[in-house]
Amino acid sequence: MELWIVAVIALLVGVAGTFVFIGTTAAGIMVFENRSRYDMEESLDHLAVAVDAAGWKVTHIHDFQATLAKSGHQVRPIRVFEICRPELAVQVLSGGDERRVAEMMTCRISVYEKPDGQVYISRLNTRLMSRFFGGIIKKTMKEANRQSEVLVQGIIFPD
């Protein structure tokens, strides 16, 4: 077989392998998910207390179970906390070009029950996402990630 054919085959196998790797691991690296130490209501209460104690603000709580029930759909309990640390948000929102990431604000932490009855806490890996940006956006996203991970540490079982 000619060398160029072997090279093309190797390239195609490498590309295919990369896509398989990304497809099977992306969810695990882009989203953190941990089982809660508590039931649904206790998890929600502990999270609200932790957010307040750390100086963060709850801007909204989405109750997707209630919202979907209004449309005739049934889902297990799920609430999504939108939280904001004003001191961090102002760093991004005070600038010009930095405002392009406003749709990624506020930070979100989900609390939900799975079919096994266990409660889980999930959140985006904004530290990883920060690598796609530079300057104040990167710095602020990394710090928001660090602080928001502290908020959930007393609620979740570590990996």
Side-chain angles (χ1 to χ4, degrees), residues 80-152:
V80 178
F81 279 62
E82 288 189 4
I83 61 173
C84 175
R85 177 71 179 199
E87 295 80 4
L88 295 175
V90 74
Q91 293 177 25
V92 172
L93 298 178
S94 294
D97 291 338
E98 295 84 6
R99 297 182 119 203
R100 65 190 162 126
V101 298
E103 72 280 352
M104 295 170 57
M105 300 168 73
T106 57
C107 296
R108 290 175 176 84
I109 300 175
S110 299
V111 181
Y112 49 90
E113 183 182 288
K114 285 190 175 182
D116 64 3
Q118 296 294 312
V119 175
Y120 291 81
I121 310 290
S122 70
R123 57 262 176 234
L124 287 175
N125 182 351
T126 52
R127 181 177 178 84
L128 178 63
M129 292 173 60
S130 75
R131 294 180 182 171
F132 297 105
F133 302 95
I136 195 67
I137 296 172
K138 181 176 183 176
K139 178 183 171 202
T140 303
M141 287 178 79
K142 285 174 73 172
E143 181 59 19
N145 179 260
R146 186 191 68 74
Q147 288 187 27
S148 62
E149 283 302 300
V150 170
L151 296 175
V152 300

Side-chain angles (χ1 to χ4, degrees), residues 12-70:
L12 292 174
V13 169
V15 169
T18 300
F19 279 111
V20 168
F21 175 77
I22 290 171
T24 58
T25 61
I29 61 175
M30 290 302 297
V31 177
F32 296 133
E33 179 185 63
N34 300 87
R35 193 165 56 89
S36 175
R37 298 175 185 270
Y38 307 103
D39 66 22
M40 187 69 176
E41 290 306 315
E42 289 175 312
S43 296
L44 295 168
D45 290 343
H46 282 281
L47 181 57
V49 167
V51 166
D52 187 55
W56 285 67
K57 307 296 180 206
V58 175
T59 61
H60 191 73
I61 300 174
H62 297 276
D63 183 342
F64 286 121
Q65 183 182 38
T67 299
L68 291 171
K70 291 176 187 174

Side-chain angles (χ1 to χ4, degrees), residues 65-80:
Q65 183 182 38
T67 299
L68 291 171
K70 291 176 187 174
S71 298
H73 301 284
Q74 299 293 320
V75 296
R76 295 188 174 282
I78 178 167
R79 305 254 176 78
V80 178

